[in-house]
Amino acid sequence: MLVSRRSSRPTAASRRRVRPVVAVALAGGAALMALTGCSALDFKEDVCMGDEYPVMTVNGTGSACVSNDDKPPSGYVRYPEGKVPKHVDDKWDVYWRTHTLDENGKIIDDPDADEAG
């Protein structure tokens, strides 16, 4: 019975061919990150899911998400047009942490904001 002495290990020549492929892949990935401004690393969490809209408490900084098919629950109102937070920590999400709406819909400073900050 004849047994082959061939090894299944890659030869030095085949390993040398793999290195340039890896280098090209890494360089391509770096170029992609540079061209996109690292947008893959700039994930922004939505305030609500796609089929919901955000609402806030009257005279407070509480918030919730409501189904697009429903009206805000008692004690909650929609954010003023153009001042709706879309993503966690965006301009309006941060703003509404220290501001609220009174019972007449007027924007006021949250009276408890100094205690929380």
XYZ file of all heavy atoms in Angstrom:
884
model
N 0.849 -1.170 0.000
C 0.000 0.000 0.000
C 0.896 1.235 0.000
O 1.746 1.394 0.852
C -0.886 -0.033 1.227
C -1.821 1.072 1.291
S -2.940 0.630 2.611
C -3.925 1.965 2.599
N 0.650 2.110 -0.953
C 1.462 3.309 -1.115
C 0.794 4.476 -0.400
O -0.379 4.756 -0.610
C 1.615 3.609 -2.603
C 2.551 4.724 -2.964
C 3.959 4.419 -2.479
C 2.550 4.935 -4.449
N 1.524 5.161 0.464
C 0.998 6.306 1.208
C 1.669 7.559 0.686
O 2.894 7.626 0.589
C 1.262 6.143 2.724
C 0.784 7.350 3.479
C 0.633 4.885 3.233
N 0.874 8.542 0.353
C 1.402 9.795 -0.165
C 2.021 10.611 0.955
O 1.529 10.648 2.073
C 0.279 10.591 -0.828
O 0.738 11.864 -1.164
N 3.101 11.289 0.650
C 3.761 12.144 1.634
C 3.367 13.603 1.440
O 3.931 14.476 2.087
C 5.272 11.995 1.515
C 5.750 10.657 1.957
C 7.246 10.660 1.932
N 7.726 9.426 2.461
C 8.422 9.307 3.588
N 8.717 10.366 4.277
N 8.827 8.143 4.002
N 2.431 13.872 0.612
C 1.998 15.261 0.387
C 1.296 15.804 1.611
O 0.501 15.130 2.244
C 1.054 15.368 -0.802
C 1.741 15.217 -2.092
C 0.777 15.551 -3.178
N 1.482 15.485 -4.455
C 0.913 15.732 -5.592
N -0.349 16.056 -5.628
N 1.598 15.657 -6.699
N 1.553 17.026 1.908
C 0.941 17.690 3.065
C -0.201 18.565 2.568
O -0.153 19.097 1.462
C 1.991 18.557 3.774
O 1.366 19.340 4.747
N -1.208 18.708 3.380
C -2.317 19.594 3.010
C -2.042 21.032 3.438
O -2.870 21.906 3.251
C -3.617 19.107 3.642
O -3.502 19.109 5.044
N -0.864 21.262 4.013
C -0.510 22.621 4.432
C -0.179 23.472 3.225
O 0.405 22.983 2.253
C 0.693 22.580 5.367
C 0.370 21.931 6.690
C 1.550 21.895 7.591
N 2.219 23.186 7.609
C 3.409 23.379 8.125
N 4.073 22.398 8.654
N 3.945 24.585 8.116
N -0.538 24.755 3.254
C -0.206 25.619 2.118
C 1.299 25.816 2.015
O 1.990 25.854 3.015
C -0.913 26.931 2.430
C -1.241 26.884 3.866
C -1.280 25.444 4.281
N 1.757 25.937 0.819
C 3.175 26.162 0.605
C 3.496 27.625 0.862
O 2.613 28.480 0.927
C 3.563 25.800 -0.840
O 2.886 26.695 -1.707
C 3.236 24.360 -1.148
N 4.762 27.920 0.986
C 5.192 29.307 1.206
C 4.757 30.192 0.057
O 4.375 31.341 0.251
C 6.706 29.355 1.401
N 4.760 29.657 -1.150
C 4.369 30.448 -2.319
C 2.896 30.828 -2.251
O 2.518 31.957 -2.565
C 4.653 29.667 -3.596
N 2.036 29.913 -1.834
C 0.613 30.245 -1.766
C 0.337 31.237 -0.630
O -0.558 32.060 -0.736
C -0.235 28.985 -1.603
O -0.007 28.389 -0.347
N 1.114 31.174 0.456
C 0.936 32.146 1.547
C 1.340 33.537 1.092
O 0.754 34.523 1.503
C 1.743 31.720 2.771
C 1.093 30.594 3.552
C 1.780 30.403 4.874
N 3.162 30.024 4.687
C 3.674 28.834 4.979
N 2.899 27.910 5.496
N 4.942 28.581 4.775
N 2.353 33.628 0.245
C 2.799 34.939 -0.250
C 1.719 35.570 -1.129
O 1.585 36.775 -1.187
C 4.103 34.803 -1.016
C 5.309 34.706 -0.104
C 6.592 34.880 -0.880
N 6.834 33.802 -1.824
C 7.574 32.733 -1.600
N 8.157 32.578 -0.428
N 7.728 31.813 -2.526
N 0.928 34.768 -1.825
C -0.139 35.310 -2.670
C -1.299 35.838 -1.836
O -2.015 36.725 -2.250
C -0.641 34.238 -3.639
C 0.269 34.071 -4.833
C -0.267 33.043 -5.765
N 0.362 31.780 -5.364
C -0.117 30.585 -5.600
N -1.238 30.437 -6.234
N 0.525 29.516 -5.199
N -1.506 35.317 -0.653
C -2.614 35.732 0.202
C -2.348 37.110 0.807
O -3.245 37.920 0.936
C -2.854 34.685 1.315
C -3.846 35.193 2.331
C -3.334 33.390 0.703
N -1.119 37.389 1.154
C -0.779 38.656 1.808
C -1.185 39.880 0.993
O -1.770 40.800 1.539
C 0.698 38.683 2.158
C 1.020 37.783 3.311
C 2.463 37.880 3.704
N 2.747 36.900 4.739
C 3.885 36.307 4.910
N 4.900 36.589 4.106
N 4.061 35.435 5.866
N -0.884 39.946 -0.319
C -1.315 41.122 -1.082
C -2.840 41.274 -1.130
O -3.358 42.380 -1.111
C -0.745 40.891 -2.481
C 0.388 39.949 -2.288
C -0.002 39.099 -1.113
N -3.556 40.177 -1.173
C -5.023 40.232 -1.204
C -5.542 40.833 0.103
O -6.425 41.693 0.104
C -5.619 38.826 -1.447
C -7.117 38.846 -1.276
C -5.226 38.325 -2.822
N -4.983 40.412 1.211
C -5.389 40.951 2.515
C -5.045 42.428 2.600
O -5.843 43.248 3.064
C -4.726 40.155 3.665
C -4.964 40.829 4.993
C -5.241 38.726 3.682
N -3.867 42.802 2.134
C -3.446 44.208 2.169
C -4.386 45.078 1.332
O -4.780 46.168 1.745
C -2.010 44.335 1.676
N -4.755 44.583 0.150
C -5.674 45.334 -0.719
C -7.041 45.469 -0.050
O -7.659 46.530 -0.068
C -5.793 44.663 -2.107
C -6.939 45.254 -2.910
C -4.481 44.796 -2.866
N -7.504 44.410 0.575
C -8.810 44.461 1.254
C -8.781 45.461 2.405
O -9.722 46.244 2.587
C -9.196 43.082 1.760
N -7.729 45.458 3.191
C -7.618 46.412 4.299
C -7.529 47.845 3.804
O -8.163 48.749 4.357
C -6.413 46.070 5.179
C -6.539 44.799 6.011
C -5.220 44.497 6.706
C -7.665 44.920 7.011
N -6.756 48.067 2.746
C -6.638 49.415 2.182
C -7.977 49.883 1.621
O -8.367 51.041 1.789
C -5.568 49.433 1.092
N -8.689 48.983 0.960
C -10.011 49.335 0.428
C -10.986 49.693 1.530
O -11.758 50.642 1.418
N -10.950 48.932 2.621
C -11.822 49.229 3.760
C -11.496 50.579 4.377
O -12.386 51.350 4.730
N -10.209 50.890 4.493
C -9.800 52.185 5.051
C -10.243 53.327 4.142
O -10.707 54.366 4.613
C -8.292 52.212 5.248
N -10.111 53.135 2.832
C -10.544 54.170 1.889
C -12.046 54.381 1.963
O -12.533 55.521 1.937
C -10.132 53.781 0.471
N -12.801 53.310 2.081
C -14.256 53.419 2.195
C -14.650 54.198 3.446
O -15.519 55.060 3.401
C -14.886 52.030 2.200
C -16.409 51.982 2.311
C -17.044 52.651 1.095
C -16.884 50.558 2.433
N -13.993 53.897 4.559
C -14.286 54.614 5.810
C -13.972 56.099 5.657
O -14.714 56.954 6.123
C -13.474 54.015 6.960
C -13.861 52.603 7.314
S -15.410 52.497 8.167
C -14.864 52.943 9.794
N -12.860 56.409 4.995
C -12.474 57.814 4.818
C -13.467 58.549 3.922
O -13.845 59.682 4.192
C -11.072 57.897 4.232
N -13.913 57.900 2.858
C -14.839 58.538 1.917
C -16.235 58.723 2.499
O -16.930 59.671 2.160
C -14.915 57.721 0.626
C -13.655 57.732 -0.228
C -13.808 56.756 -1.387
C -13.370 59.135 -0.744
N -16.650 57.826 3.369
C -17.986 57.934 3.941
C -17.996 58.727 5.238
O -19.034 58.899 5.852
C -18.594 56.548 4.218
O -17.755 55.859 5.154
C -18.731 55.733 2.947
N -16.852 59.204 5.670
C -16.797 59.955 6.923
C -17.054 59.067 8.125
O -17.570 59.510 9.130
N -16.716 57.807 8.003
C -16.922 56.831 9.086
C -18.387 56.746 9.483
O -18.720 56.538 10.647
C -16.048 57.167 10.293
S -14.295 57.125 9.925
N -19.288 56.923 8.536
C -20.715 56.919 8.853
C -21.173 55.601 9.446
O -22.160 55.556 10.167
C -21.546 57.261 7.614
O -21.353 56.279 6.625
N -20.462 54.534 9.157
C -20.837 53.249 9.738
C -20.664 53.274 11.249
O -21.325 52.544 11.976
C -20.001 52.138 9.127
N -19.801 54.136 11.749
C -19.562 54.233 13.182
C -20.412 55.323 13.826
O -20.355 55.520 15.025
C -18.075 54.529 13.436
C -17.103 53.499 12.880
C -15.674 53.948 13.114
C -17.340 52.133 13.487
N -21.172 56.049 13.028
C -21.957 57.175 13.519
C -23.432 56.792 13.606
O -24.289 57.465 13.069
C -21.767 58.375 12.587
C -22.266 59.661 13.199
O -22.389 59.731 14.437
O -22.549 60.604 12.436
N -23.725 55.703 14.292
C -25.094 55.222 14.430
C -25.888 56.146 15.343
O -25.408 56.560 16.386
C -25.076 53.808 15.011
C -26.445 53.284 15.325
C -27.267 52.837 14.318
C -26.911 53.257 16.623
C -28.539 52.351 14.604
C -28.164 52.781 16.921
C -28.979 52.326 15.907
N -27.087 56.487 14.938
C -27.959 57.339 15.745
C -29.237 56.562 16.059
O -29.943 56.135 15.161
C -28.291 58.622 15.001
C -27.080 59.492 14.784
C -27.439 60.764 14.073
C -26.200 61.601 13.861
N -26.466 62.800 13.105
N -29.511 56.428 17.340
C -30.696 55.693 17.769
C -31.938 56.565 17.612
O -31.971 57.704 18.068
C -30.529 55.276 19.230
C -31.661 54.441 19.747
C -31.458 54.020 21.195
O -30.413 54.300 21.774
O -32.391 53.406 21.734
N -32.971 56.034 16.966
C -34.218 56.756 16.799
C -34.927 56.900 18.141
O -34.867 56.011 18.987
C -35.147 56.024 15.826
C -34.625 56.040 14.400
O -33.810 56.920 14.068
O -35.039 55.173 13.615
N -35.616 58.024 18.319
C -36.391 58.249 19.537
C -37.565 57.274 19.578
O -37.867 56.694 20.614
C -36.876 59.721 19.614
C -37.866 59.913 20.725
C -35.684 60.656 19.787
N -38.229 57.100 18.459
C -39.369 56.179 18.366
C -39.181 55.257 17.164
O -38.370 55.528 16.281
C -40.672 56.958 18.190
S -41.143 57.942 19.621
N -39.976 54.199 17.133
C -39.942 53.286 15.993
C -40.629 53.939 14.796
O -41.324 54.945 14.943
C -40.612 51.973 16.377
C -39.873 51.264 17.498
S -40.578 49.695 17.974
C -40.303 48.732 16.516
N -40.464 53.367 13.631
C -40.979 53.951 12.397
C -42.477 54.164 12.349
O -42.953 55.073 11.684
N -43.250 53.361 13.066
C -44.704 53.494 13.041
C -45.229 54.252 14.259
O -46.392 54.145 14.612
C -45.366 52.127 12.930
C -44.995 51.195 14.082
O -44.008 51.481 14.785
O -45.684 50.181 14.264
N -44.354 55.042 14.891
C -44.725 55.812 16.080
C -44.237 57.250 15.951
O -43.387 57.558 15.130
C -44.078 55.208 17.335
C -44.476 53.795 17.631
C -43.697 53.212 18.785
O -42.507 53.557 18.971
O -44.281 52.404 19.524
N -44.781 58.113 16.799
C -44.303 59.494 16.888
C -44.108 59.834 18.367
O -44.778 59.285 19.238
C -45.265 60.470 16.213
C -46.632 60.581 16.852
C -46.891 61.564 17.820
C -47.676 59.729 16.492
C -48.146 61.682 18.412
C -48.924 59.838 17.074
C -49.151 60.821 18.026
O -50.389 60.931 18.607
N -43.165 60.751 18.669
C -42.898 61.093 20.059
C -43.891 62.129 20.596
O -44.356 63.000 19.865
C -41.483 61.665 20.028
C -41.335 62.221 18.654
C -42.193 61.356 17.765
N -44.209 62.000 21.876
C -45.049 62.973 22.582
C -44.352 63.317 23.898
O -43.480 62.585 24.359
C -46.465 62.414 22.864
C -47.232 62.203 21.566
C -46.409 61.122 23.660
N -44.738 64.449 24.477
C -44.149 64.874 25.747
C -45.239 65.181 26.758
O -46.392 65.437 26.395
C -43.269 66.105 25.541
C -44.031 67.339 25.099
S -42.995 68.765 24.757
C -42.132 68.971 26.266
N -44.862 65.141 28.029
C -45.826 65.453 29.077
C -46.015 66.956 29.167
O -45.107 67.736 28.897
C -45.351 64.924 30.443
O -44.063 65.447 30.731
C -45.313 63.417 30.480
N -47.191 67.367 29.535
C -47.477 68.778 29.772
C -46.868 69.152 31.119
O -47.003 68.416 32.095
C -49.008 69.037 29.779
C -49.316 70.485 30.120
C -49.621 68.648 28.443
N -46.153 70.275 31.166
C -45.501 70.770 32.374
C -44.465 69.801 32.938
O -44.249 69.730 34.143
C -46.519 71.115 33.464
C -47.287 72.381 33.135
O -46.710 73.372 32.704
N -48.591 72.326 33.306
N -43.825 69.047 32.067
C -42.782 68.120 32.503
C -41.931 67.687 31.328
O -42.253 67.970 30.179
N -40.843 67.020 31.611
C -39.944 66.601 30.537
C -40.091 65.125 30.193
O -39.265 64.579 29.470
C -38.471 66.882 30.918
O -38.185 66.219 32.145
C -38.225 68.373 31.047
N -41.135 64.497 30.674
C -41.375 63.102 30.321
C -41.755 62.983 28.854
O -42.250 63.928 28.242
N -41.509 61.831 28.293
C -41.867 61.608 26.895
C -42.283 60.156 26.691
O -42.058 59.312 27.554
C -40.687 61.950 25.981
O -39.602 61.094 26.243
N -42.895 59.920 25.557
C -43.342 58.578 25.212
C -43.465 58.496 23.695
O -43.335 59.509 22.997
C -44.689 58.273 25.869
N -43.706 57.315 23.201
C -43.951 57.104 21.779
C -45.364 56.560 21.618
O -45.797 55.708 22.381
C -42.940 56.118 21.211
S -41.252 56.741 21.226
N -46.066 57.084 20.632
C -47.458 56.728 20.403
C -47.598 56.212 18.970
O -46.977 56.748 18.051
C -48.372 57.962 20.628
C -49.814 57.652 20.309
C -48.230 58.489 22.041
N -48.412 55.220 18.781
C -48.668 54.682 17.452
C -49.206 55.784 16.542
O -49.993 56.633 16.970
C -49.687 53.542 17.543
O -50.103 53.160 16.250
N -48.784 55.771 15.289
C -49.259 56.776 14.330
C -50.777 56.783 14.206
O -51.364 57.780 13.800
C -48.638 56.524 12.956
C -47.168 56.876 12.912
O -46.673 57.683 13.694
N -46.446 56.262 11.995
N -51.433 55.684 14.561
C -52.886 55.585 14.456
C -53.608 56.159 15.674
O -54.839 56.286 15.659
C -53.303 54.122 14.289
C -52.721 53.500 13.031
O -52.511 54.244 12.041
O -52.468 52.279 13.035
N -52.875 56.493 16.736
C -53.495 56.947 17.985
C -53.211 58.418 18.277
O -52.234 58.982 17.792
C -52.980 56.109 19.164
C -53.347 54.637 19.040
O -54.387 54.336 18.414
O -52.589 53.802 19.566
N -54.069 58.998 19.101
C -53.855 60.356 19.604
C -53.019 60.271 20.872
O -52.979 59.225 21.526
C -55.197 61.024 19.908
C -56.031 61.292 18.682
C -57.318 61.986 19.049
C -58.123 62.256 17.780
N -59.378 62.932 18.061
N -52.358 61.376 21.262
C -51.588 61.345 22.512
C -52.495 61.030 23.701
O -53.637 61.488 23.762
C -51.035 62.767 22.632
C -51.061 63.319 21.252
C -52.238 62.664 20.585
N -52.011 60.242 24.670
C -52.814 59.959 25.858
C -52.991 61.205 26.713
O -52.289 62.213 26.528
C -52.009 58.893 26.597
C -50.636 58.944 26.038
C -50.732 59.565 24.678
N -53.889 61.151 27.643
C -54.157 62.271 28.542
C -52.872 62.692 29.258
O -52.120 61.850 29.750
C -55.216 61.864 29.565
O -55.455 62.909 30.467
N -52.616 64.000 29.299
C -51.420 64.527 29.946
C -50.227 64.648 29.021
O -49.178 65.138 29.419
N -50.364 64.172 27.786
C -49.291 64.249 26.792
C -49.739 65.088 25.604
O -50.926 65.162 25.296
C -48.927 62.849 26.280
C -48.160 62.006 27.259
C -48.823 61.295 28.251
C -46.778 61.910 27.191
C -48.127 60.505 29.152
C -46.073 61.125 28.088
C -46.749 60.426 29.067
O -46.051 59.663 29.956
N -48.784 65.715 24.941
C -49.050 66.493 23.726
C -47.951 66.213 22.713
O -46.870 65.754 23.058
C -49.098 68.010 24.010
C -50.280 68.372 24.888
C -47.799 68.500 24.618
N -48.276 66.522 21.456
C -47.253 66.424 20.412
C -46.231 67.540 20.608
O -46.553 68.606 21.138
C -47.880 66.583 19.027
C -48.708 65.397 18.595
C -49.276 65.671 17.189
N -50.028 64.562 16.685
C -49.554 63.671 15.823
N -48.327 63.778 15.369
N -50.307 62.679 15.410
N -45.018 67.291 20.177
C -43.995 68.339 20.185
C -44.398 69.410 19.169
O -45.047 69.110 18.167
C -42.636 67.763 19.792
C -42.002 66.929 20.885
C -42.237 65.565 20.966
C -41.168 67.509 21.827
C -41.646 64.792 21.956
C -40.571 66.747 22.823
C -40.823 65.392 22.883
O -40.243 64.639 23.865
N -43.993 70.661 19.399
C -44.289 71.707 18.406
C -43.649 71.368 17.053
O -42.556 70.795 16.999
C -43.634 72.956 19.004
C -43.495 72.679 20.461
C -43.302 71.197 20.567
N -44.330 71.725 15.992
C -43.830 71.452 14.646
C -42.441 72.053 14.462
O -42.175 73.181 14.861
C -44.787 72.031 13.602
C -44.464 71.601 12.194
C -45.514 72.028 11.191
O -46.675 72.222 11.577
O -45.151 72.154 10.014
N -41.547 71.284 13.884
C -40.181 71.740 13.649
C -39.262 71.583 14.849
O -38.077 71.871 14.761
N -39.810 71.148 15.989
C -39.013 70.995 17.207
C -39.173 69.582 17.779
O -39.133 69.369 18.981
C -39.426 72.035 18.239
C -39.173 73.461 17.762
C -39.586 74.488 18.770
C -39.312 75.873 18.192
N -39.660 76.932 19.115
N -39.327 68.626 16.874
C -39.557 67.237 17.262
C -38.228 66.484 17.301
O -37.482 66.493 16.327
C -40.505 66.548 16.251
C -40.758 65.102 16.641
C -41.806 67.320 16.122
N -37.908 65.845 18.418
C -36.678 65.039 18.450
C -36.826 63.805 17.565
O -37.866 63.152 17.577
C -36.540 64.652 19.920
C -37.900 64.793 20.503
C -38.623 65.821 19.694
N -35.808 63.536 16.770
C -35.823 62.373 15.876
C -34.897 61.276 16.400
O -35.207 60.106 16.303
C -35.364 62.772 14.472
C -36.177 63.888 13.856
C -37.375 63.353 13.171
C -38.025 64.487 12.394
N -39.433 64.503 12.508
N -33.720 61.696 16.905
C -32.703 60.755 17.371
C -32.311 61.091 18.812
O -32.349 62.252 19.210
C -31.453 60.815 16.485
C -31.735 60.564 15.044
N -32.009 59.315 14.549
C -31.814 61.403 13.990
C -32.228 59.403 13.256
N -32.129 60.655 12.896
N -31.914 60.066 19.555
C -31.445 60.266 20.918
C -30.238 61.202 20.879
O -29.339 61.037 20.060
C -31.073 58.912 21.565
C -30.453 59.117 22.933
C -32.299 58.014 21.666
N -30.256 62.196 21.730
C -29.193 63.200 21.870
C -29.091 64.174 20.701
O -28.102 64.885 20.582
C -27.823 62.552 22.119
C -27.754 61.849 23.464
O -28.476 62.259 24.398
O -26.972 60.890 23.590
N -30.095 64.233 19.808
C -30.047 65.257 18.770
C -30.410 66.609 19.385
O -30.691 66.722 20.582
C -30.930 64.904 17.565
C -32.438 64.983 17.822
O -32.873 65.467 18.883
O -33.202 64.535 16.933
N -30.388 67.653 18.583
C -30.621 69.019 19.057
C -31.899 69.141 19.877
O -31.899 69.700 20.972
C -30.669 69.953 17.836
C -31.103 71.358 18.123
C -31.214 72.143 16.821
C -31.803 73.514 17.045
N -31.933 74.259 15.786
N -33.001 68.604 19.368
C -34.287 68.777 20.044
C -34.447 67.828 21.239
O -35.092 68.177 22.223
C -35.449 68.642 19.064
C -35.434 69.772 18.090
C -35.222 69.708 16.747
C -35.576 71.162 18.401
N -35.238 70.956 16.208
C -35.461 71.878 17.197
C -35.797 71.885 19.579
C -35.544 73.278 17.130
C -35.886 73.270 19.509
C -35.758 73.948 18.309
N -33.851 66.657 21.182
C -33.897 65.756 22.332
C -33.206 66.414 23.525
O -33.726 66.395 24.644
C -33.230 64.424 21.980
C -33.325 63.399 23.100
O -34.418 63.260 23.686
O -32.320 62.737 23.382
N -32.064 67.025 23.293
C -31.334 67.712 24.365
C -32.116 68.944 24.838
O -32.237 69.192 26.037
C -29.917 68.104 23.878
C -29.220 68.994 24.894
C -29.096 66.851 23.581
N -32.670 69.714 23.910
C -33.424 70.923 24.257
C -34.595 70.613 25.196
O -34.804 71.294 26.199
C -33.946 71.583 22.973
C -34.813 72.796 23.209
C -34.245 74.044 23.432
C -36.206 72.700 23.196
C -35.036 75.164 23.636
C -37.007 73.810 23.399
C -36.415 75.049 23.621
O -37.202 76.148 23.830
N -35.354 69.572 24.866
C -36.559 69.265 25.641
C -36.257 68.642 27.007
O -37.155 68.423 27.798
C -37.512 68.379 24.843
C -38.125 69.129 23.698
C -37.916 68.912 22.380
C -39.024 70.243 23.780
N -38.627 69.821 21.630
C -39.326 70.650 22.471
C -39.609 70.943 24.835
C -40.169 71.715 22.182
C -40.464 71.997 24.543
C -40.735 72.377 23.241
N -34.995 68.424 27.315
C -34.635 67.950 28.659
C -34.741 69.066 29.684
O -34.864 68.808 30.884
C -33.215 67.391 28.665
C -33.097 66.110 27.873
C -31.686 65.611 27.817
N -31.578 64.551 26.824
C -30.443 64.048 26.413
N -29.294 64.473 26.921
N -30.436 63.091 25.502
N -34.688 70.315 29.221
C -34.767 71.464 30.139
C -35.917 72.404 29.822
O -36.041 73.461 30.420
C -33.445 72.265 30.108
O -33.183 72.691 28.768
C -32.285 71.429 30.619
N -36.737 72.049 28.861
C -37.897 72.859 28.481
C -39.121 71.958 28.418
O -39.015 70.749 28.288
C -37.675 73.518 27.118
C -36.541 74.489 27.116
N -35.239 74.085 26.970
C -36.509 75.826 27.258
C -34.448 75.152 27.022
N -35.192 76.224 27.188
N -40.276 72.576 28.475
C -41.523 71.836 28.389
C -42.608 72.744 27.823
O -42.354 73.910 27.505
C -41.919 71.273 29.775
O -43.026 70.392 29.609
C -42.257 72.372 30.769
N -43.797 72.223 27.696
C -44.954 73.005 27.273
C -45.914 73.117 28.448
O -46.140 72.143 29.164
C -45.676 72.320 26.107
C -44.903 72.210 24.800
C -45.707 71.402 23.780
C -44.577 73.574 24.239
N -46.460 74.322 28.632
C -47.467 74.464 29.687
C -48.828 74.056 29.144
O -48.949 73.641 27.985
C -47.468 75.881 30.269
C -47.936 76.954 29.288
O -48.485 76.625 28.207
O -47.766 78.151 29.608
N -49.853 74.170 29.966
C -51.196 73.735 29.556
C -51.780 74.551 28.409
O -52.739 74.132 27.761
C -52.155 73.732 30.756
C -52.250 75.027 31.507
C -51.090 75.260 32.484
O -50.386 74.315 32.851
O -50.898 76.428 32.871
N -51.167 75.721 28.100
C -51.619 76.544 26.973
C -50.782 76.323 25.718
O -50.973 76.987 24.712
C -51.570 78.030 27.359
C -52.497 78.327 28.514
O -53.646 77.886 28.539
N -52.000 79.053 29.495
N -49.810 75.393 25.787
C -48.970 75.107 24.635
C -47.779 76.036 24.498
O -47.067 76.000 23.497
N -47.522 76.865 25.523
C -46.398 77.790 25.492
C -45.142 77.073 25.984
O -45.166 76.342 26.973
C -46.699 78.987 26.394
C -45.597 80.013 26.442
C -45.936 81.146 27.390
C -44.745 82.074 27.538
N -44.946 83.031 28.612
N -44.013 77.295 25.272
C -42.734 76.707 25.695
C -42.225 77.456 26.920
O -42.151 78.683 26.919
C -41.692 76.773 24.560
C -42.155 75.938 23.365
C -40.324 76.304 25.056
C -41.264 76.051 22.146
N -41.910 76.697 27.960
C -41.376 77.269 29.196
C -40.164 76.452 29.653
O -39.968 75.314 29.227
C -42.440 77.286 30.324
C -42.936 75.857 30.626
C -43.601 78.203 29.964
C -43.818 75.744 31.857
N -39.334 77.086 30.499
C -38.242 76.344 31.126
C -38.851 75.342 32.085
O -39.808 75.648 32.795
C -37.318 77.280 31.904
C -36.495 78.185 31.002
O -36.281 77.835 29.832
O -36.063 79.264 31.478
N -38.296 74.137 32.126
C -38.783 73.132 33.057
C -38.407 73.556 34.463
O -37.244 73.784 34.752
C -38.190 71.768 32.728
C -38.649 70.699 33.706
O -39.846 70.673 34.029
O -37.805 69.911 34.131
N -39.375 73.672 35.359
C -39.065 74.109 36.716
C -38.162 73.144 37.482
O -37.453 73.548 38.398
C -40.438 74.216 37.397
C -41.380 73.468 36.517
C -40.790 73.438 35.156
N -38.114 71.892 37.101
C -37.272 70.901 37.783
C -35.928 70.701 37.111
O -35.133 69.885 37.576
C -37.994 69.555 37.842
C -39.285 69.642 38.655
O -39.331 70.436 39.613
O -40.243 68.936 38.308
N -35.633 71.437 36.018
C -34.409 71.215 35.264
C -33.167 71.476 36.087
O -32.172 70.791 35.956
C -34.397 72.078 34.003
N -33.178 72.505 36.962
C -32.015 72.816 37.776
C -31.688 71.697 38.753
O -30.539 71.422 39.045
C -32.225 74.127 38.540
C -32.263 75.333 37.616
O -31.617 75.278 36.548
O -32.911 76.312 37.963
N -32.726 71.032 39.270
C -32.510 69.938 40.212
C -31.911 68.726 39.508
O -31.098 68.021 40.069
C -33.838 69.536 40.863
C -34.449 70.629 41.721
C -35.831 70.275 42.199
O -36.166 69.068 42.189
O -36.588 71.171 42.579
N -32.337 68.481 38.256
C -31.875 67.301 37.537
C -30.468 67.501 37.003
O -29.738 66.553 36.786
C -32.821 66.988 36.385
N -30.065 68.731 36.710
C -28.780 68.990 36.074
C -27.699 69.115 37.034
O -26.570 68.941 36.925
